[in-house]
Amino acid sequence: MFLAVVGTRYSGKSQVRDYYVSVHGFLSVRIERNALSPSVSDLSLMNSAGPFGTVGGLSTPDINALPQMDIMPPPPHPRAIFNDNTLVFPSAIELLQYVTKNWQLNFVTIDLRTQELIKLFVRRPFFMLLSIDGPLTLRFMRSG
């Protein structure tokens, strides 16, 4: 499952992410700050050869081409780095391809902040978008 937590500023998205990581064993994934919107080079990655086809411009897995996965930590992505127990990807498209390839594992992120990014992931059957909000006074206190 790939869970994306979205919501208003200071609503507690990171606390929800931390809950899923600590209680349910999800792996936290992030997108580098300078790569939070898909670029032309990212879109070319979607059309590269591999176990992914394209439907409507979006990469979709070919079930027969994907290897059978045992439930274990995912293999490292060649361009991803671990930072504070979080797997950080250089682009949204590379994150999409990685979680699609490892669809049987559980991932959580708070980095899908635009409709364009959400639209990349929403077509995946293992994707769930969780929108949260907090009381205005609590959000004000969290803001510092």
Side-chain angles (χ1 to χ4, degrees):
M1 174 189 296
F2 181 52
L3 178 65
V5 182
V6 298
T8 55
R9 197 169 183 189
Y10 303 113
S11 61
K13 296 182 292 286
S14 60
Q15 290 177 333
V16 171
R17 179 201 56 211
D18 294 343
Y19 168 79
Y20 277 96
V21 168
S22 63
V23 174
H24 296 289
F26 278 60
L27 177 63
S28 178
V29 291
R30 305 236 17 186
I31 303 169
E32 284 182 359
R33 288 278 176 219
N34 58 355
L36 285 177
S37 62
S39 65
V40 174
S41 62
D42 291 339
L43 295 175
S44 68
L45 284 173
M46 292 180 75
N47 296 322
S48 62
F52 301 96
T54 57
V55 173
L58 295 175
S59 174
T60 57
D62 177 6
I63 300 300
N64 298 323
L66 291 175
Q68 293 297 322
M69 299 278 303
D70 293 330
I71 302 302
M72 62 178 57
H77 185 274
R79 293 183 56 196
I81 57 170
F82 271 104
N83 184 9
D84 296 328
N85 294 327
T86 300
L87 196 55
V88 182
F89 288 86
S91 72
I93 302 301
E94 291 185 46
L95 171 61
L96 174 67
Q97 289 179 342
Y98 185 76
V99 297
T100 301
K101 185 175 180 181
N102 297 289
W103 65 273
Q104 293 179 330
L105 302 175
N106 294 322
F107 301 97
V108 62
T109 189
I110 58 172
D111 282 350
L112 302 186
R113 297 187 178 132
T114 65
Q115 278 188 329
E116 292 81 23
L117 286 175
I118 293 171
K119 285 179 184 179
L120 287 175
F121 291 88
V122 76
R123 300 186 81 176
R124 300 297 189 253
F126 56 87
F127 176 76
M128 182 167 39
L129 185 65
L130 176 61
S131 177
I132 63 169
D133 201 356
L136 187 58
T137 54
L138 180 60
R139 290 175 41 215
F140 178 75
M141 289 187 328
R142 287 179 179 164
S143 70

